[in-house]
């Protein structure tokens, strides 16, 4: 088997100290391979988002190793981790997180421009990425003038532009209607089929069905990594 | 009514809690409102403390006495209850000043009295002589207690002894040494040597040389007035009026403390205030002052505006929820305005309290730079009340625009997490352009109107133009955002974000614009005035050269030479021989005429006489070689050379061309014995009139035969000193020459020098402009950064380097500072160009000057925004927000 794009080994993350100390992740290990979409499920507070921020190098684990495309993020400085996010890791957020002052094309071009690619080239790449997600005609619109679904497509285009190989999606359909959400997941799936590794954080089983594998978290621990059999056990008590 | 009150109660409660919840933001808002209040309060405290009122000055004026009396030569005195404020003489004829017996006969026999005399004298210093104030009174008397404050040594001094202050001691006569006081009398100059037995400071002034001694210590007095300190109980207003009738002005402790009603203070039937020289500020001053206050208020409102806009934005979601629950736009408006009320009230009060403290700290510092001893610490409460109201008003006004914006926000958009700011008004920029046009028209009218009306018109139109500029700012910011598409990421983001958050950006840009407009306007006015002053300046000598005038027959040229030798200038000296025009008893005046037509030559000379005598033109006269040749030929023929300095020509008068033409010279003699000047001699000589290329130093060069014909004496009339003469040498020589008989006039040509006060104004302008610009830009930038935190977090998430935040911060500063400066500079030209016209207008020719300080303009338009951007970029936190949960 080839090396994984993302590998987490015995990752722990502790927030706070003393009486206020919270252990968000307690020795998590898992991997995501090229062409694979991994869904991470679990109830609120199980550590899903913490896992994603650590995998993206936005946060550092208290202990353990996070390796992206052969580079251990825990040994990298702020600048080097930022470079990884520009070149290797793409993020998709539940709230889209587009910059309202930039057009759709400029939002997509942002990681490339930040990486020093000339603005003209970066925008050409961005337009191509927007075409790929089906909204090429909206390239010059500002986020405020777009629907939620359109904004999330822009966010996906931004996550994949520049041929990045790891896509981290944190509840990407949470703010969208069912139909639009399905379209977004289809795009994610397509990107993984094209060779990227994807990690999809969700707490909806039907969304997890798009994944190749499902990792179940509870209280910061991986409780199952095999399939969807244990989904019922992990849903909120009120929803059971 | 009840609903309104209730609405305000809720709004104020919300505002109070919001202020407490967002402490950092509230602190910034308070800072912006407090700072001007603190500054004005501290200035008011220092001003009132340094201003010594009549009652506060009692001790320094009369010590422990009940009154200070001054007997004049006039027949009767009419005075204000404080004679130092106003007094005048009435009645016909003159009389000798009243004697002490006459005074006591009116004021009450048996009252103790001591003579008092304050005069100006000169004294010998280590370097030469200097001026000093001397006080003579019976220093043993309890009446004089408080006039002099002993510091060191013996007090009071006895006969032949003296106390001096530290300023005098530092210049030579220290404790235990001898003070030599010079005193001019009818019999010539007198020297009095006194032993310095103590150091003591005057109750009136400090820093200026001062000495005090017993009556008669400093020799005879030149004054014809008599002055006493009077004791023996209160001197009433009736006593004052009675003493006025014998020509005595009275400052009475009792009257100063408890003044009589205005109705009794009359002068020849008119209120005694008609004697006042200074009748208070005129309408023009009040109008200009009012405009300045409005400008300052506007600036404070603009500076604080962004903070209130950000607070309103932070409340936007809550206000949208209130609107969704049935709240009206008025209630939303009131909620935001309540923030202004809360911050204004607290800021006004806290600012005043801090200002009083700052004033207390500033008083001793200000005293160090002021020679007059300040009064007791004083807080002008009514004025500070006005200042606190100013603070309150500025906060309230700063909240007005955000309040209206909040009441018009798109509730659905805000609840949906989208932008809530409406589209910019299209009417406001049109109104702005109209106001700018009105400002230009008003300034143009003011430029050609009279000085007084013109000043008000120009100041008013400046205000109108600035308001117009503020209304245009939103459009300009939007245009800049539109043009930003090709700019680098950080600048593009900053420009677009600035346009998206107009209520935050516009006041900051406008504050910078208003500051720049003010700096440019004042810069143009000051530079133009300076250019006019420089154009009018006529150098007397070549630059860096010096001269000593020997016009006074008492001055011994050998003594002058000795001083110059001691200063190391002996090899730079050139003695000038000229016509001596004055003796002890008479003065000569020369008039030149061609036939019956008088030739008017402008008189400028630093020598004892403007007429040199010689067979050739002296080297120090700057004329072209060909002209010199011609002039020497005329002098060789026994003629006369007249020199015309183009700098010194006045008005439109032009001299006729003279090239060997005969010119008559009339000598008129002035003397005390003659009722009118008489013609003493006349001579005619071939004359050439030449224009000097540099400086003339003299007006004419006479050949010896002409001098002989006129029968005038010749002598060394002055000494020219070649450059260089250092400032230090100049000071030493001036002080040494001042000690010589005849007080020879010493002058060194330094060219036109900008007066110190102008330099201070320029420095204050630059500093104030820089501070305000920096303050406005920094406030807006850091508020924008705090507002843009989610966007910066997103940038971090997609791979922005930590230093990106710095780039964004610097870009914000550049956008706010650059756009403000670009808008403000042209607006500043409107009043600047206009005011330069009346202040530089030549009264004779009517010509005006316009000097634009391009360096200053370049500095504020380009340099300061760049510098501010660099400073902001350097100071901004480099680390991007990396939150654990980024959404």
């Amino acid at each position: 088997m080839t090396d994984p794009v993302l590998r987490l080994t015995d990752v722990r993350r502790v927030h706070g100290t003393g009486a206020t100390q919270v252990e968000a992740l307690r020795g998590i290990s898992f991997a995501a391979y090229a062409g694979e979409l991994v869904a991470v499920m679990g109830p609120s507070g199980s550590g899903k988002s913490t896992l994603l921020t650590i995998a993206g190098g936005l946060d550092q684990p208290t202990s353990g190793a996070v390796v992206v495309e052969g580079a251990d993020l825990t040994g990298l400085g702020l600048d080097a981790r930022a470079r990884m996010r520009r070149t290797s890791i793409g993020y998709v957020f539940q709230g889209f997180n587009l910059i309202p002052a930039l057009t759709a094309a400029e939002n997509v071009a942002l990681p490339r421009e930040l990486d020093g690619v000339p603005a003209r080239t970066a925008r050409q790449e961005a337009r191509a990425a927007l075409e790929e997600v089906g909204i090429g005609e909206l390239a010059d619109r500002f986020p405020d003038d777009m629907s939620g679904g359109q904004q999330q497509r822009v966010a996906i285009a931004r996550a994949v532009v520049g041929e990045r190989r790891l896509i981290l999606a944190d509840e990407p359909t949470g703010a969208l209607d069912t139909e639009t959400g399905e379209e977004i997941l289809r795009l994610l799936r397509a990107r993984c089929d094209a060779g990227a590794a994807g990690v999809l954080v969700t707490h909806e089983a039907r969304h997890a069905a798009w994944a190749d594998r499902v990792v179940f978290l509870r209280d910061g621990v991986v409780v199952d990594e095999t399939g969807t059999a244990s989904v019922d056990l992990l849903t909120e008590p009120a929803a059971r | 009514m009840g609903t309104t009150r209730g609405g305000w109660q809720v709004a104020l409660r919300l505002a109070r809690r919001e202020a407490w919840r967002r402490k950092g933001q509230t602190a910034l808002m308070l800072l912006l409102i407090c700072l001007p209040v603190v500054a004005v309060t501290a200035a008011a405290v220092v001003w009132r403390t340094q201003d010594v009122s009549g009652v506060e000055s009692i001790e320094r004026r009369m010590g422990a006495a009940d009154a200070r009396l001054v007997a004049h030569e006039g027949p009767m005195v009419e005075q204000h209850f404080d004679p130092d404020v106003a007094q005048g003489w009435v009645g016909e004829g003159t009389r000798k000043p009243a004697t002490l017996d006459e005074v006591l006969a009116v004021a009450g026999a048996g009252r103790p009295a001591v003579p008092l005399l304050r005069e100006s004298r000169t004294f010998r210093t280590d370097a030469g002589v200097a001026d000093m104030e001397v006080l003579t009174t019976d220093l043993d008397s309890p009446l004089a207690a408080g006039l002099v404050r002993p510091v060191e040594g013996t007090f009071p001094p006895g006969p032949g002894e003296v106390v001096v202050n530290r300023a005098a001691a530092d210049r030579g006569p220290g404790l235990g040494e001898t003070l030599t006081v010079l005193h001019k009398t009818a019999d010539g100059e007198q020297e009095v040597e006194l032993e310095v037995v103590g150091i003591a400071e005057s109750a009136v002034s400090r820093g200026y040389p001062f000495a005090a001694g017993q009556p008669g210590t400093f020799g005879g007095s030149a004054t014809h007035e008599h002055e006493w300190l009077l004791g023996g109980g209160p001197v009433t207003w009736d006593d004052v009026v009675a003493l006025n009738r014998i020509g005595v002005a009275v400052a009475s402790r009792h009257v100063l403390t408890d003044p009589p009603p205005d109705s009794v203070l009359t002068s020849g039937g008119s209120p005694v205030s008609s004697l006042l020289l200074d009748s208070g500020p005129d309408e023009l001053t009040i109008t200009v002052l009012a405009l300045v206050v409005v400008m300052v208020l506007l600036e404070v409102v603009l500076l604080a505006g962004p903070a209130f806009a950000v607070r309103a934005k932070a409340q936007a979601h809550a206000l949208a929820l209130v609107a969704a629950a049935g709240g009206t736009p008025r209630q939303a408006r009131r909620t935001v305005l309540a923030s202004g009320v809360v911050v204004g009230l607290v800021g006004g009060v806290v600012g005043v309290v801090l200002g009083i403290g700052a004033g207390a700290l500033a008083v001793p510092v200000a005293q160090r730079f002021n020679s007059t001893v300040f009064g007791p610490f004083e807080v002008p409460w009514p004025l500070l009340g006005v200042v606190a109201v100013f603070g309150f008003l500025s906060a309230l006004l700063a909240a007005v625009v955000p309040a209206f914006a909040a009441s018009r926000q798109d509730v659905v958009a805000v609840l949906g997490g989208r932008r809530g700011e409406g589209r910019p008004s299209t009417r406001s920029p049109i109104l702005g352009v109209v106001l700018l046009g009105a400002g230009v028209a008003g300034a143009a009218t003011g430029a050609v109107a009279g000085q007084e009306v013109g000043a008000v018109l120009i100041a008013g139109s400046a205000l109108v133009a600035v308001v117009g500029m503020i209304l245009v700012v939103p459009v300009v910011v939007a245009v800049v955002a539109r043009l930003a598409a090709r700019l680098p990421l950080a600048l593009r983001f900053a420009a677009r974000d600035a346009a998206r958050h107009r209520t935050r950006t516009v006041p900051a840009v406008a504050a910078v614009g208003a500051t720049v407009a003010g700096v440019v306007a004042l810069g143009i006015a000051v530079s133009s005035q300076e250019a006019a002053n420089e154009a009018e300046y006529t150098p007397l000598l070549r630059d860096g050269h010096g001269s000593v005038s020997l016009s006074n027959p008492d001055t011994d040229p050998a003594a002058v030479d000795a001083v110059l030798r001691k200063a190391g200038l002996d090899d730079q000296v050139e003695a000038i021989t000229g016509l001596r025009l004055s003796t002890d008893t008479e003065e000569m005046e020369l008039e030149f005429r061609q036939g019956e037509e008088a030739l008017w030559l402008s008189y400028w000379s630093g020598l004892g006489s403007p007429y040199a005598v010689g067979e050739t033109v002296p080297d120090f006269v700057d004329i072209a070689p060909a002209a010199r040749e011609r002039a020497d030929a005329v002098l060789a023929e026994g003629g006369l050379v007249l020199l015309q300095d183009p700098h010194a020509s006045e008005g439109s008068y032009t001299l006729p061309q003279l090239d060997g033409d005969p010119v008559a010279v009339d000598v008129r003699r002035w003397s005390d014995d003659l009722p009118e000047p008489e013609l003493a001699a006349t001579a005619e000589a071939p004359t050439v009139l030449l224009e000097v290329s540099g400086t003339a130093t003299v007006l004419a060069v006479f050949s010896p035969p002409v001098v002989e014909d006129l029968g005038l004496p010749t002598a060394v009339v002055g000494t020219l000193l070649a450059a260089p003469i250092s400032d230090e040498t100049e000071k030493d020589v001036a002080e040494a020459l001042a000690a010589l008989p005849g007080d020879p006039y010493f002058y060194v040509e330094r060219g036109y020098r900008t007066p110190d006060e102008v330099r201070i104004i320029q420095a204050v302008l630059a500093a104030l402009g820089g501070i305000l610009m920096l303050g406005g830009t920094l406030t807006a930038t850091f508020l924008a950064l705090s507002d843009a935190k989610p966007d910066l977090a997103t940038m971090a998430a997609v791979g922005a380097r930590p230093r990106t935040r710095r780039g964004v911060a610097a870009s914000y500063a550049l956008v706010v500072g650059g756009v403000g400066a670009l808008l403000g500079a042209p607006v500043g030209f409107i009043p600047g160009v206009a005011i330069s016209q009346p202040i530089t207008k030549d009264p004779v020719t009517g010509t005006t000057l316009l000097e634009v300080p391009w360096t200053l303009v370049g500095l504020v338009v380009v340099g300061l925004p760049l510098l501010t951007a660099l400073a902001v970029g350097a100071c901004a936190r480099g680390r991007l927000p990396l939150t654990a949960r980024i959404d």
Side-chain angles (χ1 to χ4, degrees), chain A residues 15 49 53 57-59 78-79 81-83 85-86 91 93-95 97-103 106 110-111 113-115 119 123 142 144 158 164 170, chain B residues 417-419 423 484-489 492-493 496-497 500 790-804 879 882-887:
Chain A
H15 296 294
S49 292
T53 53
L58 285 171
D59 194 11
L78 283 172
D79 271 335
R81 279 188 278 140
R83 189 168 53 75
R85 288 197 297 277
R86 293 197 298 274
Y91 251 109
F93 309 96
Q94 180 178 355
N97 282 37
L98 297 181
I99 294 176
L102 302 180
T103 63
E106 288 170 342
L110 185 63
E113 274 198 73
L114 289 170
D115 202 34
R123 278 183 215 187
F142 285 94
D144 285 338
R158 183 178 64 188
R164 281 176 287 180
D170 191 1
Chain B
R418 298 192 301 279
R419 63 190 289 188
R423 293 200 170 279
R486 300 288 163 207
L487 293 178
L489 177 67
R492 193 187 331 140
F493 172 74
R496 298 250 185 87
D497 194 69
R500 276 173 51 80
D791 292 346
L792 291 169
T794 299
M795 282 197 195
V798 299
R801 293 174 185 88
R803 66 169 179 269
T804 302
R879 205 165 167 152
L882 291 177
T883 49
R885 291 187 70 90
I886 42 186
D887 57 349

Side-chain angles (χ1 to χ4, degrees), chain A residues 98-197:
Chain A
L98 297 181
I99 294 176
L102 302 180
T103 63
E106 288 170 342
N107 265 290
V108 176
L110 185 63
R112 304 294 289 149
E113 274 198 73
L114 289 170
D115 202 34
V117 173
R120 185 185 289 266
T121 313
R123 278 183 215 187
Q124 280 170 355
E125 291 179 18
R127 282 176 189 278
L130 285 169
E131 291 287 349
E132 208 178 314
V133 297
I135 51 166
E137 74 283 4
L138 303 181
D140 293 326
R141 281 211 197 160
F142 285 94
D144 285 338
D145 302 326
M146 301 169 91
S147 69
Q150 289 167 337
Q151 289 189 49
Q152 196 59 299
R153 283 167 188 260
V154 175
I156 288 178
R158 183 178 64 188
V160 301
V161 74
E163 304 302 324
R164 281 176 287 180
R165 297 191 64 221
L166 175 62
I167 300 167
L168 304 172
D170 191 1
E171 306 268 11
T173 58
L176 303 175
D177 61 75
T178 312
E179 196 178 328
T180 314
E182 292 286 317
E183 282 176 26
I184 295 300
L185 291 170
R186 190 172 294 119
L187 283 172
L188 263 180
R189 179 71 255 180
R191 192 67 197 176
C192 292
D193 291 343

Side-chain angles (χ1 to χ4, degrees), chain B residues 354-393:
Chain B
L354 291 176
I356 293 171
L361 294 174
V363 164
V365 179
Q367 177 69 89
R368 213 174 292 164
F369 294 98
N370 199 314
S371 60
T372 303
V373 175
F374 290 178
F377 184 73
E378 199 175 345
V379 177
W381 290 112
L383 180 61
L384 297 194
V386 175
V387 176
V389 169
F390 176 93
F392 171 73
L393 259 183

